[in-house]
Amino acid sequence: MSDKSVRKEKFLSVFPELVEELTDALKAYGMTPEAIEWFSENLNYNTPGGKLNRGISVVDTYIILKGLKSIDELSTEEYKRVAILGWAIELLQAYFLVADDIMDQSITRRGQPCWYKVPKVGDIAINDAFMLEGAIYLLLKKYFKQESYYVDLLELFHEVTFQTELGQLLDLITAPEDHVDLSKFSLEKHSFIVIFKTAYYSFYLPVALAMYAAGVADPKDLKQAEDVLIPLGEYFQIQDDYLDCFGKPEDIGKIGTDIQDNKCSWVINTALKLATSEQRAILDQNYGIKDSHKEAIVKELFNELGIEKIYHEYEENIAAQLKQKIAQVDESRGFKAEVLTAFLQKVYKRSK
């Protein structure tokens, strides 16, 4: 079994205990067995099914900051506390995804029907999303209330949640699936959407949580982390947009749908910046329409505009900039540049 599989398995082993603790909280309120069972199913259906990269990153970062070689050097209790911070992010992710699937009217998520599409669930999924978010604060209170950084954890989760919702709002009003208007698109809007909707909670949040838990959370160090992790998160999403259009389905594990779904992606925004008026007319007529022939016309135009070459140039530039920033990190207060290098290595030139 690979090191990654071992880390994932250990992380997953904590989750059943958390489900038990969260359902115990409902019992303490006097909830009915049926409601407790429903909440348990909500937690199990929506939280542990993804790659768990965000949650496991909290543990990985904590180990680097503590100067340890592996998770085996953590006591059971210490591991559990750090893993709980990781699961708090996974609960946040679950909350976002359940709500996002309703907004987008999606059909499947992680290879199974979206929660609201499960026959007995329907609109109850809206309340279930709220309960997934509420679970974060039950766990933080139980395990971190006595810590000096407890309020910092609460403020961090509240702020990052709001930032993600701002990104989602701009995305929803810029690129609704049922109304295509490319004049609303721009690279500046795309940048705001991906930084707020993805970078803060996927890249900055795991590291900031580990920093608080490891006692390495000087404001200057949090700023050093943010200054690398936010542009890295933007690069990750641009890479995702690129792979959706140009990646091989067998590599990325799905067939890209951004063109047909009217997504405000980096690819279309870059094309709009370069297009002649004739090419713009072709994009207006063919983008965001559920038609594979029109999608092929758009892809052909992307090839004409040399989008792949532009992406690869961007990738090399951003990687060089981030490496330079990482090389200048001040480690005098206990923060470690290795944390940022580990994140960059996971993202740089990935193909899936």
Side-chain angles (χ1 to χ4, degrees), residues 245-246 259-260 267-268 271 278-289 291-305 307:
C245 187
F246 296 100
I259 294 171
Q260 292 195 29
V267 179
I268 181 65
E278 290 83 3
Q279 289 170 324
R280 172 59 188 264
I282 292 169
L283 290 171
D284 283 329
Q285 288 157 17
N286 294 282
Y287 193 80
I289 298 164
D291 179 317
S292 55
H293 176 63
K294 288 181 181 292
E295 179 185 44
I297 293 169
V298 172
K299 279 195 175 178
E300 198 176 312
L301 183 51
F302 288 165
N303 288 328
E304 267 177 49
L305 291 167
I307 301 287

Side-chain angles (χ1 to χ4, degrees), residues 67-128:
L68 306 175
K69 296 280 183 288
S70 78
I71 48 176
D72 300 332
E73 294 180 54
L74 296 175
S75 70
T76 306
E77 192 49 44
E78 192 177 6
Y79 178 82
K80 185 179 177 184
R81 281 166 56 78
V82 182
I84 284 163
L85 292 174
W87 278 113
I89 301 186
E90 294 299 333
L91 284 163
L92 185 66
Q93 161 87 333
Y95 157 56
F96 290 147
L97 297 184
V98 170
D100 191 53
D101 288 340
I102 300 167
M103 291 179 241
D104 291 348
Q105 293 292 289
S106 301
I107 307 300
T108 59
R109 167 75 65 184
R110 297 168 172 171
Q112 59 185 6
C114 297
W115 181 238
Y116 83 100
K117 281 286 185 188
V118 173
K120 66 176 183 181
V121 179
D123 287 346
I124 301 171
I126 299 168
N127 193 62
D128 287 336

Side-chain angles (χ1 to χ4, degrees), residues 172-185:
L172 289 167
I173 62 177
T174 301
E177 268 195 62
D178 56 353
H179 179 68
V180 183
D181 180 0
L182 296 183
S183 68
K184 285 185 167 185
F185 285 20

Side-chain angles (χ1 to χ4, degrees), residues 1 25 34 39-40 44 49 66 108 117 125 148 172 177 203 212 227 252 301 304 306 308 317 333:
M1 197 184 283
E34 183 192 11
F39 185 42
S40 175
N44 282 307
K66 283 290 194 181
T108 59
K117 281 286 185 188
S148 59
L172 289 167
E177 268 195 62
F203 286 80
Y212 281 117
D227 286 347
I252 61 174
L301 183 51
E304 267 177 49
E308 281 201 77
N317 283 335
R333 290 170 300 271

